[in-house]
Structures are given as C-alpha cells and as structure tokens.
Amino acid sequence: MSATFDGLLKVLCEACQQHYGPRLVALAVYGSVGRGTPRSTSDMDVVLVVDSLPNGRIARVEEFAEVDRMMAAPLAAARAHGVETEVSPVFKTPAELAAGSPLLLDMTEDARILVDRGELAQALNALRARLAAQGARRVVRGNAWFWDLKPDYRPGDTFTL
C-alpha cells in the first residue's frame, strides 16, 4: 500500500509543479500518509505553499481544480487496487506560513516535505526549536494525541510559540 501512496505523491508533485510552476514554494504530506502509516481509506493530507494565491478557500480550491483533474486517473487506478484515497489540500501563502498555524504543530512530527524552496523546512525547524525551548511535547493516548505546549504552565502565565 505504501508503494501506491508513494506513486500517487510523485504524480501529485509533478502535477503541482506543472500547474503552479515557479509559484510553488513548498508541498508536504502530513497525517498518516506523512507518517508512513496509511490505511486504504486514508486521505492524502497535503499543504501547499504557493506565491500569489487568490483570496479565500473557494478561489484556492477552484485554482487547484486542474491538479485534481490531473490526479483523476491515478486515483482511479489506486481505487482499482483497493486504495480509496483523495487529496485533501490546505493552501498557504508564504506570509500565511510565516504567521504560523496550529496545523504546523503536528507537521513538526509527521510531515514529509516533497518540494521546498526552504521556507517550509525553516518554518518547521523554527517551530520545533520554540517547542523544545518551552518543553512542549505531543502526548499520545491510544490512537489520539494532544499537545502539552507549556508543561510548567501556571494560571495567568502567557506564552507564545
């Protein structure tokens, strides 16, 4: 199954590079596919960092429609082999990436960077360093987890990531 996901990610990389061209700053997969533990029904959770994205989620999804079209045949082939997956994109501009997002917390642990001009790796490394400085940790309980961002937190304390 991992080979099927790896093949789909290769096609996705090529499709994104073709569609966005030099505007594509970074592309990473996270979640179960990023961790290398996908199930046959796992989505391919990806974050795309792209220069000059249109404003609003709908406009960004509409712009991504060409990539969806390029992925249609490979996804159909994967379904024929029992892998029922879809691409679930999150879109960020470089400025939005630099501003931070709770999404990046889990990406410090399980993202696999597929394309990067350096901005995504830099953002994740900087966040990892800030988390380490605060003693933050991801606490796993069964199949779920949560972040303890400041283990020595006391009521009234403030902190920033």
Side-chain angles (χ1 to χ4, degrees):
M1 185 170 14
S2 290
T4 300
F5 279 103
D6 287 345
L8 288 170
L9 290 171
K10 182 178 182 203
V11 174
L12 178 64
C13 279
E14 292 166 359
C16 287
Q17 289 171 322
Q18 180 182 335
H19 179 66
Y20 292 106
R23 292 175 48 217
L24 182 64
V25 173
L27 171 64
V29 60
Y30 61 97
S32 64
V33 177
R35 286 190 302 275
T37 59
R39 296 183 314 268
S40 63
T41 57
S42 293
D43 284 351
M44 291 188 299
D45 299 307
V46 297
V47 64
L48 291 102
V49 182
V50 180
D51 282 322
S52 303
L53 282 172
N55 290 328
R57 172 109 176 122
I58 293 172
R60 293 173 182 195
V61 169
E62 288 172 351
E63 184 180 36
F64 188 75
E66 179 62 19
V67 174
D68 273 337
R69 188 194 63 73
M70 289 186 256
M71 292 298 298
L75 288 170
R79 279 192 290 282
H81 290 95
V83 176
E84 298 284 333
T85 189
E86 295 294 332
V87 179
S88 296
V90 172
F91 307 97
K92 300 279 185 192
T93 64
E96 292 166 346
L97 176 67
S101 167
L103 170 68
L104 297 178
L105 287 170
D106 285 340
M107 289 184 69
T108 64
E109 300 281 326
D110 64 19
R112 185 170 16 144
I113 296 175
L114 306 172
V115 174
D116 193 12
R117 294 192 317 210
E119 286 94 330
L120 182 57
Q122 182 179 359
L124 292 175
N125 287 335
L127 180 56
R128 281 185 198 105
R130 291 190 308 270
L131 291 168
Q134 286 187 180
R137 60 193 177 93
R138 186 160 80 167
V139 179
V140 178
R141 298 271 167 84
N143 291 332
W145 60 85
F146 63 91
W147 280 92
D148 183 357
L149 296 174
K150 188 164 176 28
D152 61 349
Y153 176 81
R154 303 271 187 269
D157 285 355
T158 60
F159 65 95
T160 47
L161 294 176

mmCIF file of all heavy atoms in Angstrom, residues 12 16 40 42 44 50 52 72 77 81 83 86 89 101 144 154 157 160:
data_model
loop_
_atom_site.group_PDB
_atom_site.id
_atom_site.type_symbol
_atom_site.label_atom_id
_atom_site.label_comp_id
_atom_site.label_asym_id
_atom_site.label_seq_id
_atom_site.Cartn_x
_atom_site.Cartn_y
_atom_site.Cartn_z
ATOM 1 N N LEU A 12 1.320 13.681 -7.793
ATOM 2 C CA LEU A 12 0.850 14.934 -7.228
ATOM 3 C C LEU A 12 1.937 16.004 -7.299
ATOM 4 O O LEU A 12 1.664 17.154 -7.656
ATOM 5 C CB LEU A 12 0.385 14.735 -5.784
ATOM 6 C CG LEU A 12 -0.091 15.992 -5.062
ATOM 7 C CD1 LEU A 12 -1.337 16.568 -5.734
ATOM 8 C CD2 LEU A 12 -0.363 15.690 -3.598
ATOM 9 N N CYS A 16 1.482 19.438 -9.346
ATOM 10 C CA CYS A 16 1.574 20.750 -8.685
ATOM 11 C C CYS A 16 2.686 21.592 -9.299
ATOM 12 O O CYS A 16 2.505 22.797 -9.509
ATOM 13 C CB CYS A 16 1.800 20.577 -7.185
ATOM 14 S SG CYS A 16 0.345 19.995 -6.296
ATOM 15 N N SER A 40 -6.030 1.953 3.857
ATOM 16 C CA SER A 40 -6.506 2.004 2.472
ATOM 17 C C SER A 40 -7.487 3.152 2.239
ATOM 18 O O SER A 40 -7.687 3.563 1.101
ATOM 19 C CB SER A 40 -7.152 0.676 2.081
ATOM 20 O OG SER A 40 -8.299 0.435 2.884
ATOM 21 N N SER A 42 -7.153 6.205 3.890
ATOM 22 C CA SER A 42 -6.541 7.452 4.361
ATOM 23 C C SER A 42 -6.538 8.510 3.266
ATOM 24 O O SER A 42 -6.229 8.212 2.109
ATOM 25 C CB SER A 42 -5.096 7.208 4.802
ATOM 26 O OG SER A 42 -5.038 6.402 5.944
ATOM 27 N N MET A 44 -4.860 11.803 1.519
ATOM 28 C CA MET A 44 -3.518 12.357 1.387
ATOM 29 C C MET A 44 -3.623 13.821 1.810
ATOM 30 O O MET A 44 -4.004 14.681 1.019
ATOM 31 C CB MET A 44 -3.001 12.215 -0.045
ATOM 32 C CG MET A 44 -2.726 10.789 -0.428
ATOM 33 S SD MET A 44 -1.902 10.608 -2.019
ATOM 34 C CE MET A 44 -3.093 11.345 -3.116
ATOM 35 N N VAL A 50 2.119 28.492 -1.780
ATOM 36 C CA VAL A 50 2.149 28.999 -3.151
ATOM 37 C C VAL A 50 2.153 30.523 -3.125
ATOM 38 O O VAL A 50 1.361 31.132 -2.408
ATOM 39 C CB VAL A 50 0.932 28.484 -3.955
ATOM 40 C CG1 VAL A 50 0.964 29.002 -5.385
ATOM 41 C CG2 VAL A 50 0.876 26.957 -3.944
ATOM 42 N N SER A 52 1.271 34.170 -4.404
ATOM 43 C CA SER A 52 0.160 34.848 -5.093
ATOM 44 C C SER A 52 -1.091 33.989 -5.208
ATOM 45 O O SER A 52 -1.702 33.913 -6.277
ATOM 46 C CB SER A 52 0.600 35.307 -6.485
ATOM 47 O OG SER A 52 1.726 36.145 -6.398
ATOM 48 N N ALA A 72 -7.038 12.547 -11.384
ATOM 49 C CA ALA A 72 -8.219 11.683 -11.518
ATOM 50 C C ALA A 72 -7.862 10.263 -11.951
ATOM 51 O O ALA A 72 -8.296 9.290 -11.318
ATOM 52 C CB ALA A 72 -9.234 12.312 -12.463
ATOM 53 N N ALA A 77 -6.951 4.488 -10.663
ATOM 54 C CA ALA A 77 -6.116 3.281 -10.704
ATOM 55 C C ALA A 77 -5.846 2.764 -9.292
ATOM 56 O O ALA A 77 -5.865 1.547 -9.060
ATOM 57 C CB ALA A 77 -4.807 3.576 -11.429
ATOM 58 N N HIS A 81 -7.031 -0.895 -7.122
ATOM 59 C CA HIS A 81 -6.157 -1.746 -6.310
ATOM 60 C C HIS A 81 -6.500 -1.685 -4.827
ATOM 61 O O HIS A 81 -5.700 -2.046 -3.966
ATOM 62 C CB HIS A 81 -4.691 -1.354 -6.534
ATOM 63 C CG HIS A 81 -4.197 -1.716 -7.890
ATOM 64 N ND1 HIS A 81 -4.204 -0.829 -8.945
ATOM 65 C CD2 HIS A 81 -3.718 -2.888 -8.380
ATOM 66 C CE1 HIS A 81 -3.740 -1.431 -10.011
ATOM 67 N NE2 HIS A 81 -3.435 -2.685 -9.704
ATOM 68 N N VAL A 83 -7.196 1.026 -2.853
ATOM 69 C CA VAL A 83 -6.816 2.212 -2.084
ATOM 70 C C VAL A 83 -7.806 3.328 -2.401
ATOM 71 O O VAL A 83 -7.809 3.888 -3.489
ATOM 72 C CB VAL A 83 -5.365 2.659 -2.394
ATOM 73 C CG1 VAL A 83 -5.033 3.958 -1.663
ATOM 74 C CG2 VAL A 83 -4.378 1.559 -2.018
ATOM 75 N N GLU A 86 -8.184 10.261 -1.384
ATOM 76 C CA GLU A 86 -8.415 11.539 -2.044
ATOM 77 C C GLU A 86 -7.328 12.496 -1.579
ATOM 78 O O GLU A 86 -6.736 12.305 -0.521
ATOM 79 C CB GLU A 86 -9.789 12.119 -1.679
ATOM 80 C CG GLU A 86 -10.972 11.305 -2.175
ATOM 81 C CD GLU A 86 -11.109 11.267 -3.689
ATOM 82 O OE1 GLU A 86 -10.672 12.231 -4.360
ATOM 83 O OE2 GLU A 86 -11.640 10.269 -4.197
ATOM 84 N N PRO A 89 -6.168 19.099 0.262
ATOM 85 C CA PRO A 89 -5.169 20.161 0.336
ATOM 86 C C PRO A 89 -5.515 21.282 1.308
ATOM 87 O O PRO A 89 -6.677 21.616 1.513
ATOM 88 C CB PRO A 89 -5.159 20.701 -1.100
ATOM 89 C CG PRO A 89 -6.567 20.501 -1.571
ATOM 90 C CD PRO A 89 -7.044 19.224 -0.899
ATOM 91 N N SER A 101 0.471 28.531 12.272
ATOM 92 C CA SER A 101 -0.823 27.866 12.237
ATOM 93 C C SER A 101 -0.756 26.655 13.162
ATOM 94 O O SER A 101 0.285 25.998 13.237
ATOM 95 C CB SER A 101 -1.128 27.409 10.812
ATOM 96 O OG SER A 101 -2.212 26.505 10.786
ATOM 97 N N ALA A 144 -4.914 8.616 19.695
ATOM 98 C CA ALA A 144 -5.087 10.067 19.658
ATOM 99 C C ALA A 144 -3.918 10.732 20.386
ATOM 100 O O ALA A 144 -3.128 10.068 21.065
ATOM 101 C CB ALA A 144 -6.406 10.461 20.309
ATOM 102 N N ARG A 154 1.225 27.904 34.639
ATOM 103 C CA ARG A 154 0.525 28.300 35.849
ATOM 104 C C ARG A 154 -0.570 29.292 35.443
ATOM 105 O O ARG A 154 -0.357 30.102 34.537
ATOM 106 C CB ARG A 154 1.452 29.010 36.845
ATOM 107 C CG ARG A 154 2.671 28.208 37.264
ATOM 108 C CD ARG A 154 2.344 27.357 38.496
ATOM 109 N NE ARG A 154 3.515 26.697 39.019
ATOM 110 C CZ ARG A 154 3.916 25.486 38.669
ATOM 111 N NH1 ARG A 154 3.249 24.806 37.794
ATOM 112 N NH2 ARG A 154 4.983 24.940 39.212
ATOM 113 N N ASP A 157 -0.112 32.705 33.429
ATOM 114 C CA ASP A 157 1.055 32.720 32.564
ATOM 115 C C ASP A 157 0.635 33.009 31.132
ATOM 116 O O ASP A 157 -0.459 32.619 30.699
ATOM 117 C CB ASP A 157 1.777 31.357 32.557
ATOM 118 C CG ASP A 157 2.578 31.081 33.808
ATOM 119 O OD1 ASP A 157 2.670 31.979 34.668
ATOM 120 O OD2 ASP A 157 3.080 29.955 33.921
ATOM 121 N N THR A 160 4.079 32.483 23.985
ATOM 122 C CA THR A 160 3.868 32.490 22.535
ATOM 123 C C THR A 160 4.731 31.399 21.930
ATOM 124 O O THR A 160 5.791 31.049 22.458
ATOM 125 C CB THR A 160 4.260 33.839 21.898
ATOM 126 O OG1 THR A 160 5.537 34.234 22.392
ATOM 127 C CG2 THR A 160 3.248 34.912 22.169
#
